[in-house]
């Protein structure tokens, strides 16, 4: 668990934060809202335990990027007992069940007709229980809270200090294996904001 937290945790948080920065660069109105929020507080003295409460819009933007670009694309579980899912799918004990994050995050039924649009406001009231970016139950990712703190803080810090633009770089090509990254990386133009 500790090795997973230290190794896989930084990689997956980095992927999500990279996608969040890309989405924010593509949506200047979102960038301006994060800038206003981050400029209203002293990020240098912000207790990390207060990141979500003090940076709610940044949290929504990072969470929405995680929805559109789920870092872990599928979660597997093994049934311990015979079970019937949805009243019609009978699974014997020992069956492997694979839950596709990509399908859940791109469901019109769950997210509405604009499900492919980057819209941090959709996270304002929380998210549906079918949004499982860190797994669920006793096997929830041990690094969940750390990922949120690191990712949201870094997003707010970078937007506060740098203007993000997409520039001439090609649109990133999603590269999906167990994780969801960008095949050629995410290239952004950053210029320091003047004080």
């Amino acid at each position: 668990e500790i090795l997973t937290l230290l190794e896989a945790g930084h990689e997956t948080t980095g992927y999500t934060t990279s996608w969040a920065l890309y989405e924010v660069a593509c949506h200047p109105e979102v960038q301006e809202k994060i800038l206003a929020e981050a400029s209203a507080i002293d990020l240098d003295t912000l207790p990390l335990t207060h990141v979500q409460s003090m940076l709610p819009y940044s949290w929504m933007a990072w969470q929405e990027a995680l929805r559109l670009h789920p870092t872990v694309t599928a979660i597997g579980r093994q049934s311990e007992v015979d079970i019937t899912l949805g009243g019609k799918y009978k699974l014997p004990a020992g069956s492997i069940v694979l839950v596709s994050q990509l399908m859940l995050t791109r469901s019109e039924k769950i997210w509405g007709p604009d499900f492919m649009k980057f819209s941090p406001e959709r996270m304002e009231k929380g998210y549906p229980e079918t949004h499982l970016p860190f797994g669920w139950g006793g096997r929830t990712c041990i690094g969940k809270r750390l990922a949120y703190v690191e990712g949201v803080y870094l997003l707010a810090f970078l937007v506060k200090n740098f203007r993000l633009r997409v520039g001439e770089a090609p649109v990133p090509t999603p590269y999906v294996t167990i994780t969801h990254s960008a095949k050629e990386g995410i290239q952004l133009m950053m210029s320091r904001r003047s004080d």
Side-chain angles (χ1 to χ4, degrees):
E1 296 275 345
I2 296 298
L3 189 58
T4 300
L5 177 65
L6 294 176
E7 288 185 8
H10 288 321
E11 178 184 355
T12 53
T13 302
Y15 287 157
T16 300
T17 305
S18 295
W19 283 113
L21 290 166
Y22 173 76
E23 292 290 354
V24 167
C26 290
H27 297 86
E29 72 285 359
V30 171
Q31 189 168 172
E32 290 305 312
K33 289 178 183 180
I34 293 172
L35 175 60
E37 177 178 81
S39 297
I41 62 174
D42 182 0
L43 291 177
D44 293 335
T45 61
L46 176 66
L48 296 180
T49 54
H50 291 72
V51 165
Q52 183 177 347
S53 63
M54 297 298 291
L55 296 167
Y57 193 81
S58 300
W59 182 89
M60 291 188 298
W62 196 83
Q63 183 70 23
E64 177 69 348
L66 181 59
R67 180 192 71 81
L68 274 178
H69 309 282
T71 307
V72 176
T73 59
I75 299 172
R77 295 290 186 263
Q78 184 173 15
S79 65
E80 295 178 353
V81 297
D82 293 348
I83 190 167
T84 301
L85 298 176
K88 57 184 173 179
Y89 302 104
K90 295 181 183 200
L91 301 175
S95 295
I96 303 295
V97 177
L98 192 63
V99 178
S100 170
Q101 296 283 59
L102 289 173
M103 290 182 70
L104 289 175
T105 62
R106 285 163 173 72
S107 168
E108 184 175 352
K109 183 178 178 183
I110 296 170
W111 300 99
D114 66 342
F115 64 95
M116 288 303 292
K117 178 184 176 195
F118 179 73
S119 176
E121 288 77 10
R122 89 171 71 241
M123 296 294 172
E124 199 162 14
K125 295 178 183 171
Y127 45 83
E129 63 183 22
T130 52
H131 185 49
L132 310 166
F134 294 96
W136 69 92
R139 298 289 308 259
T140 299
C141 174
I142 191 173
K144 177 180 179 177
R145 294 190 190 281
L146 179 61
Y148 278 124
V149 169
E150 286 180 332
V152 172
Y153 181 87
L154 185 57
L155 176 63
F157 178 85
L158 289 173
V159 169
K160 182 176 183 176
N161 290 285
F162 297 93
R163 184 173 320 290
L164 307 174
R165 291 181 301 137
V166 178
E168 302 294 320
V171 173
T173 306
Y175 181 67
V176 177
T177 56
I178 292 172
T179 58
H180 179 194
S181 59
K183 188 174 185 178
E184 59 284 302
I186 293 178
Q187 300 173 33
L188 297 176
M189 297 181 71
M190 299 172 70
S191 54
R192 183 169 282 285
R193 295 184 188 275
S194 50
D195 295 330

